[in-house]
Every structure is written in structure tokens, then in C-alpha cells.
Amino acid sequence: MSFDFDISVRIKDKQTGDIISGPKVIAASENSSIYSGFEEVSWWNSSIFMDLPPAIFRICGKYMEKQYPLEEGMEGNLDIIVPRAAMREICSYIYSRCCVLDSDLNTEERDWCWRDSYEVTNIARVEKLRDLLSSLDYVDHRNQECGIAEDYIGDLRKREEFKNNPQGYEFEFRICYHYCRPRK
């Protein structure tokens, strides 16, 4: 059993509704998909930590007043737009689950060297999410963009407009979960 799980961000112009994140601008008038314009922040895939996705969707449920019927080991896909308020708690939870216990090192392919690589990778991914959340604090409180434009906005003109007034934009988050059983 394993899962793929990713967190993405979308940046919209507050005045026009245009989506500026991604390789090109998507005008509000284009009737784009609800999932258009999201750019990946971080992703995880694992055959351990199967508790991670259900716990994260429980956190989402607290902020969205909606429960998601995701149980550990459940097959399928779940793709939702998540309020920004939930992201810091999600980030904290992921940090708490970055390390592999000795009891999970029960096969030849999962030795201490594998664990070290796995942990370093997971910590780097969650730090990328935390850095974005920290940058959003700078947007909110100082109207500074802190590198967001280079990471998530492809259109050079919109990138410069964003840098001049990041508070003129809103940020939306998306969580996408895919679970699958191993192929035989």
C-alpha cells in the first residue's frame, strides 16, 4: 500500500479574479477549472505513515466544518481546496511525522541509511511549505513578497506587478491525495 499526497497554491488577483500562478495568466473570464492555476508546493509519497492523509483531512474538517470520509488505507482520490487557516496546523502535523521509528526499519531495504534519506527528504519538503506560510505573513503584515513570485508566477509582467503589491492578491491551497495498493 502507498499514497501520493501533494499541497499546491494558487494566486489570484483580488481586483480582477485572474489567476496569476503557474506558467501563464488565466483570465477570470476564461471559465477555467476549479483546479486551474495551482502550483505544487510540496509532495509526499510513502508506504509508511499511512496515518498522515487521514489526520490531515481531519484537520481540514475542523476548518471547513465538513468531514472527509478518509480512513487509513482507503483506496481512491480526494482533491479539495483548503482554507489558508488550516495550513499552519497541517504543516505542524507533517513536521511531527517526518521521522521514522526503529520499529519501521524491519526489512533489508529499510535500514538506517534509508531512514536518514527519507527523513531529510520529508523535512526539506515540509520546510518548503513552512517557508511559503512564513512568506505569506510578510505579505500580510509588511506587503513584502519574499521570493513567492519567482517560485510560483511564470508570467514576467504579473511577477513584477505582484512584487509591487503582494497584498493585492489572494492565496488558495489545494490538497490532492491518491491512494493505491501495490500492483501484483
Side-chain angles (χ1 to χ4, degrees):
M1 295 184 271
S2 66
F3 68 85
D4 292 323
F5 183 86
D6 64 70
I7 296 175
S8 303
V9 65
R10 173 169 60 193
I11 306 170
K12 282 184 171 181
D13 186 308
K14 287 180 181 177
Q15 288 184 337
T16 65
D18 293 348
I19 298 169
I20 66 163
S21 49
K24 67 181 188 91
V25 175
I26 302 171
S29 61
E30 287 185 31
N31 292 327
S32 59
S33 159
I34 189 170
Y35 301 115
S36 293
F38 279 97
E39 288 293 302
E40 185 177 272
V41 176
S42 296
W43 63 273
W44 293 265
N45 64 349
S46 181
S47 58
I48 59 174
F49 299 137
M50 296 303 291
D51 63 313
L52 186 68
I56 288 172
F57 282 98
R58 277 193 296 280
I59 292 168
C60 292
K62 285 183 359 185
Y63 289 86
M64 299 172 72
E65 298 179 3
K66 179 179 180 179
Q67 297 307 308
Y68 295 93
L70 184 64
E71 297 175 12
E72 190 173 323
M74 185 176 118
E75 289 191 56
N77 302 317
L78 193 53
D79 202 336
I80 62 170
I81 309 297
V82 180
R84 181 174 156 192
M87 294 311 299
R88 195 160 292 278
E89 186 173 347
I90 289 168
C91 185
S92 175
Y93 185 80
I94 294 171
Y95 262 121
S96 77
R97 297 295 290 137
C98 283
C99 295
V100 179
L101 302 174
D102 285 343
S103 60
D104 289 324
L105 300 177
N106 55 4
T107 66
E108 286 184 30
E109 62 210 32
R110 289 189 183 161
D111 61 5
W112 68 270
C113 191
W114 172 89
R115 171 176 52 196
D116 186 57
S117 297
Y118 189 86
E119 290 174 352
V120 166
T121 300
N122 282 329
I123 290 167
R125 289 179 181 153
V126 75
E127 283 178 348
K128 187 175 179 190
L129 174 60
R130 198 215 64 81
D131 287 348
L132 174 59
L133 295 173
S134 176
S135 294
L136 293 179
D137 287 338
Y138 278 85
V139 168
D140 291 346
H141 301 287
R142 294 185 179 169
N143 203 23
Q144 289 179 282
E145 67 90 22
C146 301
I148 295 170
E150 280 77 17
D151 290 342
Y152 302 104
I153 303 169
D155 183 277
L156 297 177
R157 187 176 60 81
K158 287 296 182 182
R159 187 183 291 176
E160 289 306 312
E161 288 175 12
F162 177 84
K163 286 178 180 181
N164 289 328
N165 183 24
Q167 288 179 346
Y169 299 85
E170 63 185 352
F171 299 82
E172 298 174 325
F173 289 89
R174 172 184 172 198
I175 294 180
C176 185
Y177 165 80
H178 305 284
Y179 170 83
C180 58
R181 296 195 182 277
R183 292 187 175 128
K184 294 182 182 185

